[in-house]
């Protein structure tokens, strides 16, 4: 394993270069960005979210004659943005059919599903995989956390931050 220490501007520059020059850019979202969420403080996460939305979004969603055309890899990019968005946080209590007691997860919503980031009901918090989903029938209680302000988002782009992904 290689450990690098990058500030948020350096991290964004690395991501941007990988996305713009790599045929396997989707691995950037699964293996680098997603796995880095809990290594960033709130300010760094908000900075990265905004600049990815502003500068990288057009690489995956082209505007063509008034319609948006998704490009290859758009789903992993949108998924990573949803996971990074601090206002897209839910506390979900769920219980599977073989579980003796409910478990509590810190989740985000993407494609209409609750996706766990962390299992918070255990002594050792465990980061969850990129493709993990909590089945609807297991969900007992959902609590939504408030949408914090992102100081990086200018007034004319506030809808990007406040209109949460489904």
């Amino acid at each position: 394993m290689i450990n690098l220490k990058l500030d948020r501007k350096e991290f964004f520059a690395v991501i941007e270069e990988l996305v713009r020059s790599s045929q396997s850019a989707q691995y950037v979202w699964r293996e680098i960005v997603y796995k880095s969420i809990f290594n960033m403080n709130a300010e760094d996460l908000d900075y990265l979210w905004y600049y990815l939305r502003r500068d990288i979004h057009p690489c995956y969603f082209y505007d063509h004659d008034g319609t948006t055309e998704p490009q290859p890899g758009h789903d992993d990019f949108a998924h990573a943005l949803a996971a990074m968005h601090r206002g897209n946080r839910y506390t979900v209590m769920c219980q599977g059919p073989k579980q003796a007691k409910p478990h509590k997860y810190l989740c985000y919503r993407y494609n209409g599903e609750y996706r766990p980031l962390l299992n918070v009901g255990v002594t050792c918090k465990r980061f969850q995989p990129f493709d993990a989903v909590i089945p609807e029938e297991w969900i007992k209680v959902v609590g939504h956390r408030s949408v914090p302000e992102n100081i990086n988002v200018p007034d004319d782009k506030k809808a990007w931050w406040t209109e949460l992904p489904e």
Side-chain angles (χ1 to χ4, degrees):
M1 163 150 317
I2 298 173
N3 291 318
L4 297 173
K5 185 169 176 120
L6 303 171
D7 70 21
R8 60 182 162 194
K9 291 178 183 178
E10 293 167 332
F11 190 48
F12 175 75
V14 168
I15 293 167
E16 185 174 32
E17 185 60 32
L18 287 169
V19 168
R20 293 185 190 276
S21 66
S22 175
Q23 293 296 334
S24 58
Q26 71 270 19
Y27 296 107
V28 170
W29 309 117
R30 291 172 176 263
E31 300 299 325
I32 297 174
V33 174
Y34 182 78
K35 290 183 177 179
S36 298
I37 289 172
F38 287 103
N39 293 327
M40 291 184 267
N41 63 34
E43 292 81 21
D44 291 342
L45 197 57
D46 287 353
Y47 172 92
L48 186 61
W49 182 93
Y50 172 67
Y51 286 97
L52 289 173
R53 174 60 179 88
R54 187 189 76 177
D55 297 347
I56 304 299
H57 189 271
C59 296
Y60 290 104
F61 298 93
Y62 294 160
D63 284 330
H64 181 72
D65 295 333
T67 61
T68 301
E69 294 185 17
Q71 301 302 305
H74 75 279
D75 190 56
D76 283 348
F77 169 73
H79 186 157
L81 277 185
M84 292 173 59
H85 194 299
R86 290 186 313 114
N88 188 20
R89 295 286 186 265
Y90 301 83
T91 303
V92 176
M93 290 288 283
C94 63
Q95 186 171 3
K98 296 181 181 178
Q99 294 173 325
K101 61 181 183 170
H103 291 269
K104 183 189 235 181
Y105 290 91
L106 174 64
C107 296
Y108 60 98
R109 279 185 66 80
Y110 182 65
N111 278 346
E113 298 174 305
Y114 290 101
R115 296 169 178 265
L117 281 171
L118 283 176
N119 181 338
V120 294
V122 294
T123 307
C124 176
K125 294 182 179 181
R126 291 184 314 163
F127 195 59
Q128 301 298 300
F130 186 77
D131 291 320
V133 173
I134 297 176
E136 191 74 31
E137 63 272 12
W138 293 10
I139 297 173
K140 304 295 181 198
V141 178
V142 175
H144 183 254
R145 296 181 175 200
S146 63
V147 179
E149 182 181 1
N150 184 338
I151 62 170
N152 300 287
V153 180
D155 288 340
D156 64 330
K157 304 294 186 203
K158 289 290 184 195
W160 288 356
W161 184 251
T162 57
E163 294 174 8
L164 295 177
E166 279 296 315

